Amino acid sequence: MKALDKPVGVLGGGAFGTTLAQLAARAGHRSMLWLRDPKAKALIAEGRENSRYLPGHRLEDAVELTTDLAEVADRCLLILLAIPSREFRAVSRNLGDSVRGDHVLISATKGLEQDSYLRMTEILRQETCSLKIGAISGPNLALEIMRGVPAATVVASRYDEVVRLAIAALRTPAFRVYASRDVLGVELGGAVKNVIAIAGGITRGLGYGDNTLSLLISRGLSEMTRLGARMGADPRTFSGLSGVGDLVVTAFSNLSRNHRVGLGLAKGRPIEEILDELGQVAEGVPTAGVVKDWAEETGLDLPICRGVHAILHDKASPREVLGELMALHARWEADNRRID
């Protein structure tokens, strides 16, 4: 594949940010990985691996490390942001001081801003002058991608240039990139599935079987789809990579941070202790509160998301919450109407 004229910029030195920079290098391009912490940059540079998040995986020579945000904006046309949602606005604001209107900015963050309930692309529109904005999401466990296991993602944007540039930057023989126009649906799927994934970890931690987890995933998908449709997303998006694709892997896999949060909650551990041990952001924890508020505001009944919020923030018993879910009134499967 022909190399891009400019490096691919990636903001965020966590597991997924590092993986995106590596993917761009594997696709035959130069990439610039921006890290906020100079010490973290020095540690990665010394061993050419992100030993904290992805130990044992050497970075390609084409991956360049930097702590200079303005340098990334100056040298890169395409910039991917893999920043935790709680820090996304601050980084976007700083980036906004350097980017131009022709920059292509793509969010790789699967979360929502807590105070405003905004999606990451909405924050980019507020904090930068760029119009060419998109979002990337899907079943993308960083460690498996680094290992070269076949995987895929979807990039969503209103602009063809954003989609085509993302495909050119990230597609490799082991990594496919699909396209979508439904930015809202792709971002909502990526965020809300994290809440369902916590419930998946809880069912595993309580010792329930695959039938239970399959039930949870299918009804969790129903909640995601109904919320998305109410907010204006295309319901078909949730049957794709950023919906059911991402939901299945995060609800089942021990590599999923949100799944591991659920495992800890099932054992009765405090959420603060779980997150401290995890050492990484689990976006489903703050997102549960946003989804609960959205459901109340729109009049939607989202019992799984409501139950996860009760366990996380009201100290409800996981086993009792799951029992309450099983005791819910009978409903029509397709549209969730009660059967009186």
Side-chain angles (χ1 to χ4, degrees), residues 53 100 123 139 146 176 193 246 257 259 265 277 286 301-302 306:
Y53 299 115
R100 305 174 305 274
I123 294 174
M146 289 292 281
R176 288 184 57 79
K193 59 83 189 175
D246 204 2
R257 285 167 282 179
H259 180 89
L265 291 171
E277 181 181 285
D301 183 28
L302 307 178
R306 184 175 66 244

Side-chain angles (χ1 to χ4, degrees), residues 226-299:
R226 286 186 283 115
L227 176 62
R230 180 67 61 89
M231 298 185 71
D234 185 343
R236 295 173 298 178
T237 298
F238 299 95
S239 65
L241 289 166
S242 63
V244 66
D246 204 2
L247 175 59
V248 168
V249 75
T250 50
F252 267 96
S253 177
N254 285 328
L255 294 176
S256 161
R257 285 167 282 179
N258 293 284
H259 180 89
R260 299 206 300 272
V261 166
L263 289 174
L265 291 171
K267 296 176 182 177
R269 299 176 60 193
I271 185 59
E272 298 79 12
E273 178 183 300
I274 297 170
L275 295 177
D276 184 63
E277 181 181 285
L278 194 63
Q280 301 181 62
V281 175
E283 292 284 2
V285 176
T287 300
V290 178
V291 174
K292 171 183 173 291
D293 290 346
W294 270 344
E296 293 175 351
E297 292 172 7
T298 58

Side-chain angles (χ1 to χ4, degrees), residues 17 31 34 41 54 89 142 152 159 162 167 174 281 301 315 323 326:
S31 65
W34 175 83
K41 177 206 167 189
L54 300 163
R89 182 176 292 276
Y159 299 93
V162 176
I167 292 172
V281 175
D301 183 28
K315 311 302 181 184
M326 293 300 295

